Amino acid sequence: MGYIKDLFKEKADALNGDIKKMIAEHGDYKIGEITVAQVYQGMRGMTGLITETSLLDSNEGIRFRGYSIPELREHLPKAEGGTEPLPEGLFHLMLLGELPNKEDVDHLSAVWARRSHVPNYVFDVIEALPVNTHPMTQFSIGVMALQRESIFAKEYAKGISKKDHWNFVYEDTMNLIARLPRVAAYIYRRKYKGGDHIQPNGMLDWAGNFAHMLGFEDKGFWALMRLYMTIHADHEGGNVSAHTTHLVGSALSDPYLSFAAGLNGLAGPLHGLANQEVIRWIEEMQQALDTQSPTKEQIAEYIKKTLSEGKVVPGYGHAVLRKTDPRFTAQMEFGKTHCPDDPLVQTVWNVYEVAPAILESTGKIKNPWPNVDAHSGALLKHYGLIEEDFYTVLFGVSRALGVLASLCWDRALGLPLERPKSVTTEYLKKLVVGEAVDTE
């Protein structure tokens, strides 16, 4: 099966035993209460999912299998002469729970290179779309077109045991991750570069090859792509793209259908599309102030003006985090090394200096700190990837690592169809005065 797959099966069997024991011994243990407010307000903070790959702490930020982002940047293998972790290493960690060595990472790079061929009919489907179709729409449709290649779907149609589901989901996962950079780069070159496509280089790592196919040969941009693909890969299971992939997968939809659903959630302005809005807000500020390098005082006044108009400051605040997003910090450190004099990058840092205090002073914002979207666009623009509509596609390529690793675990653990209970407002009105009756 390949040694990564063998290790995954071994660990999945062990965890299945632990879970059965947990349910048998502690299945009735109550882990929390649900309030009326939570039911109405997006189920915020309700514990109801298992995601093995990462855990988000409101104060510490994201940890992948227990490792923080600074620790990942230190311990994960890097490309020869490179400064940033290779995303293959993070996938290995999320899938197996163990830090990989360089041999493990090179193995994954080689496996994904071998599996990266995209059938021509997928490109034909994309070419049938108007060229001005949003890149995320093209990307989702491209993934849906690839679904014809699903091994899980073909084997399920023949009739397979539930205990074998993980096997074919794993194969689909490896194939889909391998193919995503090719599809995404094709869309970029089609929409923005007149259809002048660049063939893959099978000797490069996954993110380096993606950068190459996009048309960027600056090694600094390759390093940025490795960092970007690593830090955007996962954010535990409750965010929209991760939860949607898990939910659709729980119906035994194959990884292509499940991930396409997750992509459509990622495309929303309250999720992955936010990185576009951040950079546009900064550029609108620069235009309004008629300067590429506004002072902190000018930025403060513009923030107050934005708030007075009933708008939000894009890139600030997070549903869970209550401190500066470690993913923002990682990008800021990258910028200080690679492009400290870039006016747009400096403006991002100056916004960071003044925005939290202003937002906190309103008394209405629980988290006045920047999230990952507050920085990414400025770094991309520095290297010449100026097409903001494409930024969420980059996010989608990265997010595949986490949500598809999780989908492998979903099937290996035999997690059931997800079907939470819903009630009506009338039911809740009766419940709070003690008149509600039992529902199914």
Side-chain angles (χ1 to χ4, degrees):
M1 290 192 294
Y3 79 91
I4 299 292
K5 191 174 183 181
D6 290 339
L7 283 172
F8 175 70
K9 180 64 166 62
E10 179 183 324
K11 290 181 177 295
D13 287 345
L15 185 56
N16 262 311
D18 290 345
I19 290 172
K20 289 177 182 177
K21 183 179 180 182
M22 175 74 76
I23 293 173
E25 296 180 359
H26 306 289
D28 295 328
Y29 184 86
K30 292 179 174 58
I31 60 175
E33 297 179 347
I34 297 173
T35 66
V36 170
Q38 286 176 307
V39 173
Y40 277 111
Q41 296 172 353
M43 298 188 288
R44 193 68 55 85
M46 288 167 51
T47 300
L49 295 170
I50 287 292
T51 302
E52 304 292 351
T53 51
S54 64
L55 182 66
L56 179 59
D57 182 272
S58 60
N59 292 311
E60 291 189 4
I62 188 69
R63 284 185 176 270
F64 299 86
R65 295 287 192 169
Y67 292 93
S68 67
I69 285 178
E71 289 170 339
L72 293 180
R73 293 181 77 193
E74 178 182 355
H75 295 300
L76 286 180
K78 301 172 177 62
E80 192 69 33
T83 59
E84 299 299 335
L86 289 165
E88 291 92 328
L90 179 62
F91 179 79
H92 182 284
L93 174 63
M94 289 189 292
L95 188 72
L96 299 178
E98 298 176 353
L99 283 172
N101 56 37
K102 188 63 165 60
E103 180 183 355
D104 296 325
V105 168
D106 290 344
H107 172 74
L108 276 173
S109 294
V111 168
W112 288 348
R114 288 197 303 269
R115 293 174 178 240
S116 64
H117 173 71
V118 176
N120 285 334
Y121 73 80
V122 175
F123 300 132
D124 292 340
V125 169
I126 294 171
E127 288 293 343
L129 300 169
V131 73
N132 62 354
T133 303
H134 195 284
M136 278 298 281
T137 305
Q138 296 190 49
F139 193 38
S140 176
I141 290 171
V143 172
M144 289 292 289
L146 268 172
Q147 190 272 342
R148 181 178 176 273
E149 305 298 308
S150 172
I151 298 172
F152 176 84
K154 292 173 183 175
E155 294 298 321
Y156 190 87
K158 295 176 185 177
I160 54 175
S161 168
K162 182 178 180 180
K163 65 182 177 61
D164 293 326
H165 286 177
W166 75 271
N167 184 7
F168 305 111
V169 167
Y170 177 93
E171 294 298 328
D172 276 357
T173 288
M174 296 296 277
N175 288 336
L176 182 51
I177 290 174
R179 292 161 171 167
L180 288 175
R182 179 79 169 104
V183 175
Y186 187 93
I187 291 166
Y188 179 78
R189 301 296 299 185
R190 174 182 188 249
K191 184 173 176 65
Y192 303 113
K193 303 299 178 182
D196 181 16
H197 298 291
I198 298 172
Q199 293 301 309
N201 181 346
M203 302 303 293
L204 294 175
D205 59 276
W206 186 72
N209 188 38
F210 185 27
H212 161 72
M213 289 187 291
L214 289 171
F216 296 86
E217 299 300 333
D218 187 318
K219 298 305 185 291
F221 184 80
W222 292 17
L224 176 60
M225 279 297 95
R226 291 165 184 145
L227 175 64
Y228 188 104
M229 293 294 136
T230 298
I231 66 175
H232 286 79
D234 209 32
H235 220 227
E236 76 170 29
N239 69 78
V240 171
S241 54
H243 186 195
T244 303
T245 304
H246 163 79
L247 172 63
V248 176
S250 79
L252 297 187
S253 297
D254 61 68
Y256 295 86
L257 297 176
S258 302
F259 180 61
L263 279 178
N264 293 336
L266 189 68
L270 295 184
H271 194 11
L273 202 69
N275 52 16
Q276 293 183 23
E277 298 187 343
V278 170
I279 205 68
R280 288 172 181 169
W281 179 82
I282 291 177
E283 290 176 339
E284 288 169 2
M285 175 176 65
Q286 291 174 328
Q287 184 176 3
L289 299 174
D290 194 26
T291 176
Q292 294 299 302
S293 301
T295 65
K296 292 179 184 179
E297 291 75 18
Q298 288 175 308
I299 292 171
E301 290 304 313
Y302 193 80
I303 291 173
K304 293 174 183 177
K305 177 177 179 293
T306 298
L307 296 174
S308 70
E309 294 171 349
K311 302 175 184 177
V312 300
V313 178
Y316 280 74
H318 190 274
V320 179
L321 281 172
R322 294 296 175 260
K323 61 173 284 186
T324 297
D325 192 332
R327 299 172 299 175
F328 175 92
T329 304
Q331 292 179 98
M332 184 166 64
E333 291 172 354
F334 181 95
K336 289 180 178 179
T337 299
H338 293 272
C339 48
D341 300 323
D342 185 295
L344 186 59
V345 172
Q346 289 181 339
T347 298
V348 167
W349 298 341
N350 286 334
V351 172
Y352 178 41
E353 288 288 324
V354 301
I358 297 172
L359 296 173
E360 192 170 33
S361 69
T362 66
K364 302 177 182 179
I365 300 173
K366 292 182 179 180
N367 174 24
W369 306 104
N371 57 49
V372 67
D373 297 312
H375 208 310
S376 55
L379 295 176
L380 293 169
K381 288 223 168 186
H382 171 79
Y383 285 103
L385 207 163
I386 62 174
E387 298 85 3
E388 299 153 12
D389 282 352
F390 192 75
Y391 292 172
T392 313
V393 176
L394 299 176
F395 198 158
V397 174
S398 172
R399 185 50 56 94
L401 299 174
V403 301
L404 292 177
S406 289
L407 199 60
C408 288
W409 277 104
D410 291 348
R411 299 289 73 79
L413 299 177
L415 298 186
L417 175 71
E418 184 175 299
R419 207 299 190 185
K421 175 63 185 165
S422 66
V423 295
T424 64
T425 295
E426 185 62 27
Y427 173 86
L428 287 180
K429 286 180 179 178
K430 292 178 179 179
L431 181 67
V432 298
V433 295
E435 298 178 5
V437 296
D438 289 338
T439 62
E440 66 174 2

